[in-house]
Amino acid sequence: MTETTLAGLPASPGVAAGVARLLDVVVDAGAPPVPAAAREAETSRALSALGAAAIALNEIAAELARQGKAADAEIVSTGSLMAADPGLTAAVRAAVTDDGASAGAAILRATDAYAAALAALDDPTLRLRSDDVRSLGRRAARLAAGRANGRRDPNAGAQEDGILVATDLGPADIADLGAGIRAVALAAGGTTAHAAIVARSLGVPMVVAVGEQLLHAVEEGAHLVVDGDAGSVTLAPDPATLRRADTASSARRRAREQTLAESSLAAKTPDGREIRVLANVASAAELDVALPAGADGVGLLRTELAFLDAKDWPTQEQHQWALAPTLARLGGMTATVRLLDFGGDKTPPFLAGIDLRGIGLLLTAPDALASQARALAAVAGEADLRVLLPMVEDPEQVEIVRALFSAVTGVKPVLGAMIETQTAVERVDEIAAVADFLSIGTNDLTHSILSTDRFAPGETAAHHPRVLAAIDTIAHTAGARERLLEVCGEAASNPIAMPLLLGLGVDELSVGAARVGAVRHWVRSLDYARVRELSATAAGLDSAAAVADLVQPTSGLLAEVGDAPAERVNGGVGVVAVGRQA
Ligand code: PEP
Ligand code: MG
């Protein structure tokens, strides 16, 4: 067979080579029905497999809890509760007694129907549970098929690295991968599903949504390369592809070890400029990567990502459910939570057709803003809470949010305004006058300044001189108004743009969880006086390419440390991320 590459979506970064381990139990659709006399015994077999699967899930949850992964443990243990759901057990029983389905087939049929019913519900938290039910079903079906306790053999793949290949996975499957599994390739699945979040937190490369062709093309034991950065799966890789994969995964392992070893060092240049490096997250799982790498807290929590399929504005309870696991782990640390940034490519079904974006859109639904404010006040706990307003273009927006937040919570919020458009730059002094701090969203700002489309294919450089000039204006205003200045767009972890941001005087960089260690390392290797000179010169050049040539000798020294960019969506130097990030 010649080398073939199948395209999917990148769900967890990293590259790994290994042999395929197929997960799904294949139920023989043409098997004869179980004879009537044997159906009672077959039903017991199915129900005890479900019970045993629940016990196995509880064991996995307990292991996760022992490792301090409380949020993951909670997700996994919910799956075990579902095994006892009377509706589910009745459906399993009916499939065997009425239709003569085998134990495995009955379990898969009942759990698929239950999952489909959950997926159709209005409640986003319940909809997420549908993955967990399918995962429970696959585990119980494996047990019914006689595989010991439904968990993978821990020695499987120990001699040869395994690549788990399946239709879809629940978070428990990922947490229970076994020592030999190096990567995951899924025919279905989404980049923001629980399983992807858990894979990222565990550092397991994963590609999802490859399509049914994955299951048809791959046989047990076949050699594969999974590229979780590019989002591809290579079948029958040739020796050169295998060598590249090996080199990439060893470099990654060494880099991760180095990042952890340096996590307690300050992000300070040798000539004394210290800044804070924080993490961009959408869930608690990313803290497992960011905090050990030395993150000074969270600089951007994208709250809207949990509600992209919502049928209505999230309620206070839904916000609390989504926020609590993250905020609970940030006691004493900065927790910058962005108010819902719906609109653009982040438009849930109930807002379809609406043109507004960010805070402008949220302010059309003051009750929705009040629900999020109350939820934040309720779950902030010991975290040092800062509230970030997306897409601010008018100082009045900050004032309205401040008044509403204080009125409904009785708490005076620390409010930051995101500067992400040309209009915001033009009004930055008025905005800074009423905000407590500023945060530059370079992803949107770059496109607004250069009049390009953020979601069109191709690359747009945040280090373009016109963008740098805008950032310089913002930095001067922040300085004059004595406001802290953060950058939370992709530019903060881009090797060309990041030295220039440091030189322009930003106080904080907030970067993808997996980039925290690299950026802290970079700061320690840069000369502040030199990057100040470079950024002054760069703003006067006439193209992004000229800026890249100017900075390259400096940024070329920035070692690739830590994981590949968790948030990089379209790759390459100076690239501004597109699309959604989990
Ligand atoms: C940005 O625009 O730079 C930003 C951080 O916001 P988002 O990527 O979520 O639009
Ligand atoms: Mg933005």
Side-chain angles (χ1 to χ4, degrees):
M1 184 181 173
T2 51
E3 179 175 292
T4 316
T5 297
L6 304 177
L9 294 174
S12 176
V15 181
V19 295
R21 303 272 171 234
L22 302 184
L23 177 68
D24 297 334
V25 169
V26 179
V27 175
D28 179 4
V34 175
R39 290 186 188 178
E40 197 47 49
E42 192 69 6
T43 304
S44 306
R45 220 160 65 74
L47 295 180
S48 30
L50 262 184
I55 292 170
L57 286 175
N58 275 333
E59 283 170 10
I60 297 166
E63 262 168 47
L64 287 167
R66 267 196 300 279
Q67 293 162 16
K69 297 178 173 152
D72 297 345
E74 193 192 314
I75 293 170
V76 170
S77 64
T78 314
S80 89
L81 294 178
M82 288 171 169
D85 186 286
L88 181 66
T89 50
V92 170
R93 187 180 287 281
V96 184
T97 39
D98 300 350
D99 302 339
S102 69
I107 290 167
L108 290 176
R109 197 195 294 175
T111 48
D112 277 354
Y114 191 173
L118 285 175
L121 290 178
D122 273 353
D123 186 327
T125 55
L126 284 177
R127 278 206 309 278
L128 276 175
R129 295 271 95 92
S130 71
D131 286 352
D132 305 345
V133 176
R134 286 211 167 86
S135 157
L136 168 74
R138 283 191 298 270
R139 182 175 297 273
R142 288 200 294 277
L143 280 156
R147 296 201 205 160
N149 81 7
R151 301 184 68 170
R152 263 165 292 290
D153 176 355
N155 297 317
Q159 286 154 0
E160 239 181 327
D161 291 340
I163 307 279
L164 191 68
V165 176
T167 307
D168 203 353
L169 290 180
D173 297 308
I174 303 272
D176 188 28
L177 282 181
I181 297 297
R182 292 282 168 265
V184 177
L186 299 183
T191 56
T192 55
H194 277 142
I197 292 168
V198 176
R200 282 196 288 278
S201 81
L202 298 175
V204 176
M206 177 155 121
V207 174
V208 300
V210 182
E212 283 294 307
Q213 47 176 348
L214 175 72
L215 303 173
H216 296 308
V218 175
E219 286 176 7
E220 178 77 18
H223 286 269
L224 301 178
V225 169
V226 169
D227 186 334
D229 298 321
S232 65
V233 179
T234 304
L235 282 51
D238 61 33
T241 306
L242 282 172
R243 266 196 309 280
R244 273 198 303 279
D246 275 352
T247 311
S249 69
S250 329
R252 184 180 201 82
R253 199 165 42 246
R254 281 196 305 276
R256 196 176 293 150
E257 284 160 11
Q258 187 181 347
T259 296
L260 292 178
E262 292 179 350
S263 63
S264 59
L265 301 179
K268 188 174 183 179
T269 66
D271 55 344
R273 168 74 174 160
E274 183 165 357
I275 63 164
R276 300 207 319 149
V277 179
L278 303 101
N280 292 350
V281 304
S283 71
E286 284 140 290
L287 296 179
D288 292 340
V289 177
L291 297 182
D296 293 300
V298 165
L300 170 64
L301 173 54
R302 290 179 163 104
T303 58
E304 64 282 352
L305 295 188
F307 300 106
L308 292 180
D309 297 322
K311 295 251 164 47
D312 205 345
W313 289 101
T315 62
Q316 180 182 342
E317 288 67 33
Q318 288 169 336
H319 277 300
Q320 286 182 211
W321 188 89
L323 288 168
T326 308
L327 292 180
R329 292 184 54 191
L330 291 171
M333 271 186 267
T334 300
T336 314
V337 181
R338 183 169 73 184
L339 298 178
L340 293 169
D341 182 21
F342 284 143
D345 81 316
K346 296 184 287 191
T347 302
F350 77 97
L351 291 173
I354 289 184
D355 245 4
L356 292 168
R357 166 88 197 264
I359 196 65
L361 175 54
L362 187 55
L363 283 172
T364 63
D367 289 348
L369 172 55
S371 298
Q372 192 169 21
R374 286 197 192 92
L376 276 167
V379 299
E382 299 301 308
D384 181 9
L385 180 68
R386 308 192 305 200
V387 178
L388 199 51
L389 280 56
M391 291 282 182
V392 173
E393 293 205 312
D394 186 332
E396 204 187 356
Q397 294 170 325
V398 182
E399 290 174 315
I400 296 173
V401 172
R402 193 181 293 288
L404 191 140
F405 202 104
S406 305
V408 300
T409 65
V411 176
K412 281 198 177 134
V414 175
L415 293 187
M418 285 193 75
I419 306 296
E420 311 186 74
T421 64
Q422 173 79 49
T423 308
V425 177
E426 283 158 14
R427 302 192 69 182
V428 67
D429 185 54
E430 294 167 78
I431 295 170
V434 295
D436 299 306
F437 70 102
L438 299 179
S439 182
I440 307 179
T442 50
N443 303 344
D444 282 305
L445 180 66
T446 302
H447 292 281
S448 174
I449 300 278
L450 301 179
S451 302
T452 47
D453 177 2
R454 177 170 173 182
F455 304 105
E459 301 181 355
T460 308
H463 56 262
H464 190 287
R466 292 207 332 258
V467 182
L468 295 176
I471 296 173
D472 191 35
T473 302
I474 302 166
H476 271 99
T477 308
R481 292 266 176 198
E482 297 186 348
R483 299 291 189 258
L484 180 139
L485 180 61
E486 173 191 79
V487 174
C488 63
E490 288 299 287
S493 60
N494 178 283
I496 301 285
M498 179 267 170
L500 299 171
L501 296 173
L502 184 68
L504 289 170
V506 308
D507 304 297
E508 295 181 350
L509 296 172
S510 190
V511 303
R515 300 296 282 167
V516 168
V519 172
R520 296 180 69 83
H521 183 87
W522 291 352
V523 174
R524 288 193 293 274
S525 65
L526 290 168
D527 186 89
Y528 184 51
R530 176 89 185 108
V531 294
R532 278 176 70 84
E533 279 169 26
L534 282 179
S535 55
T537 312
L541 296 177
D542 60 5
S543 70
V547 174
D549 286 345
L550 175 78
V551 184
Q552 205 80 56
T554 305
S555 64
L557 301 176
L558 301 178
E560 192 55 35
V561 179
D563 286 339
E567 292 186 294
R568 193 177 67 183
V569 181
N570 58 347
V573 161
V575 172
V576 175
V578 296
R580 300 163 178 170
Q581 296 127 13

